[in-house]
Amino acid sequence: WDTSSASEDGLDELKSDRARFCSAAHKQLAADVSDRYASAPTLLEPLRAAKEGLAAGEYKQAFVPLALPEALSLHVEHSLLWWDPLRLCAPPPDSPAEGDGGSVGSSQLPVSWGPRRPVAEVQLEHFEWFEALSGFTELQGDDDPDAELVPQLVQRCVFPEVARRLRDCWDVASSGQSQC
């Protein structure tokens, strides 16, 4: 049986390191980015206007659908830094976090890792970019030139991250990690 405490097995240190890493990564990657380009939803606003305002076919002829996966992959990959689907550092979504009135132990996760809160849910719908991109790809119905944008981004950004986490992080013996 496991008799080690969170501090003995390095869990507290892992949580602290993860928070510092996310803060440092955000500072290097996005801290000086204008608010107009800092998130996928704000980046999509002018593209939505162009998509709705251009004559039929002009949007596609401008190669916007071909450029979007490259332009948006940075936002998706950046957001995955805060994703903890195996709950290695983040508490389960229904447990009280620090500052929520629950009991706070030494192994409790800080409310945020740098500028964002951790995402412990498995479903991609919990990311800010998912709903914005889903709505954007449905503007022109079944014939939308961006219809494959979300699947392309998931294949390009999320699948490799899931494979890495399964290979390097997943504890097969952990019932909590296996229920995700």
Side-chain angles (χ1 to χ4, degrees):
W1 71 69
D2 185 15
T3 59
S4 64
S5 69
S7 60
E8 290 174 357
D9 66 8
L11 187 58
D12 289 337
E13 186 177 345
L14 174 65
K15 291 177 182 183
S16 175
D17 287 350
R18 180 77 182 262
R20 283 195 307 271
F21 173 77
C22 287
S23 291
H26 174 74
K27 190 179 285 186
Q28 280 193 317
L29 296 174
D32 61 345
V33 174
S34 166
D35 288 343
R36 289 183 51 200
Y37 308 107
S39 70
T42 58
L43 182 63
L44 289 173
E45 289 173 13
L47 294 169
R48 179 182 304 271
K51 190 174 187 178
E52 292 172 335
L54 290 173
E58 287 181 346
Y59 175 80
K60 192 172 180 179
Q61 288 173 345
F63 298 103
V64 176
L66 293 175
L68 281 179
E70 182 74 29
L72 292 167
S73 65
L74 174 66
H75 293 287
V76 174
E77 289 172 349
H78 183 252
S79 72
L80 292 176
L81 292 173
W82 284 266
W83 194 31
D84 192 10
L86 297 174
R87 296 183 185 100
L88 299 173
C89 299
D94 56 349
S95 72
E98 190 174 313
D100 290 345
S103 63
V104 178
S106 64
S107 64
Q108 191 69 24
L109 176 76
V111 172
S112 66
W113 296 345
R116 298 183 182 184
R117 294 179 62 99
V119 177
E121 291 84 2
V122 177
Q123 297 82 10
L124 298 178
E125 290 86 356
H126 293 281
F127 286 99
E128 69 173 350
W129 52 264
F130 189 87
E131 186 174 332
L133 289 174
S134 295
F136 181 78
T137 61
E138 297 171 355
L139 287 175
Q140 296 178 356
D142 291 338
D143 297 327
D144 196 300
D146 297 311
E148 292 299 313
L149 180 60
V150 173
Q152 287 174 346
L153 288 168
V154 169
Q155 183 176 11
R156 179 182 190 147
C157 305
V158 179
F159 284 179
E161 183 63 14
V162 169
R164 184 195 67 78
R165 289 176 189 230
L166 288 175
R167 182 183 63 245
D168 299 340
C169 305
W170 182 39
D171 178 6
V172 179
S174 169
S175 63
Q177 290 181 15
S178 297
Q179 289 178 347
C180 298

